[in-house]
Amino acid sequence: MNLDFSFLTGPVLVDYVSRGFAFSLQLTLVAMLGGIALGTLLALMRLSGKPWLAVPAAAYVNTMRSVPLVMVILWFFLLVPMLLGRSLGAELSAIVTFTLFEAAYYSEIMRAGIQSVPRGQIFASQAMGMTYRQSMQLVVLPQAFRNMLPVLLTQTIILFQDTSLVYAIGAYDLLKGFEVAGKNFNRPIETYLFAAAVYFVISFSLSMLVKRLQARIAIIR
């Protein structure tokens, strides 16, 4: 078997891959920001001590964490149009699905971060006249975000890798771009190998940055 990567020139990568990379990056960033926001809300609900908040939040998190992501993607893509009477499109479906799914994982990370802050700081802030909401917003959550930042970013790297699963609904992501190029040039093996190398380089580079950040946070502590 002779492998030939010569067809993977700059113009080919721009024409076929750049569009997919742009969507994968967009999907990662939107799902990360939305997932952290929703995940923080879920974490606060679970830690509220109020069953009418904690039970639904726990049920949501446990359900999402127990179902494969590709199945959630397919369910949302196929069932939501039946309920709304119109299709949302593959890209928008992927963005909504990833945000809702990743929120469950970010929730557990944020819950651990909040619990890592000593309870004495909450009591001290309340003794200064702060409400529970103010102590969470001004004292606890900033520390929780700092403590959990490396873990949040590590989960985001996993999220970027998982974006390749949108192939199941036909969304044009990074992997899809390589697949189309491979079909057009009749070189599927080369393009899939090159795609794997690209995912590895991006993920490994980001992992190294996270390690450096983790070391800096450890020094600050």
Side-chain angles (χ1 to χ4, degrees), residues 188-211:
I189 297 178
E190 288 88 339
T191 50
Y192 280 125
L193 287 174
F194 193 76
V198 170
Y199 275 100
F200 172 79
V201 170
I202 294 175
S203 300
F204 183 77
S205 300
L206 293 175
S207 297
M208 291 299 100
L209 291 176
V210 170
K211 283 188 176 181

Side-chain angles (χ1 to χ4, degrees), residues 16-25 172-177:
Y16 293 97
V17 179
S18 60
R19 172 189 161 195
F21 177 72
F23 176 70
S24 291
L25 183 61
Y172 199 104
D173 70 315
L174 178 60
L175 183 60
K176 184 69 173 181

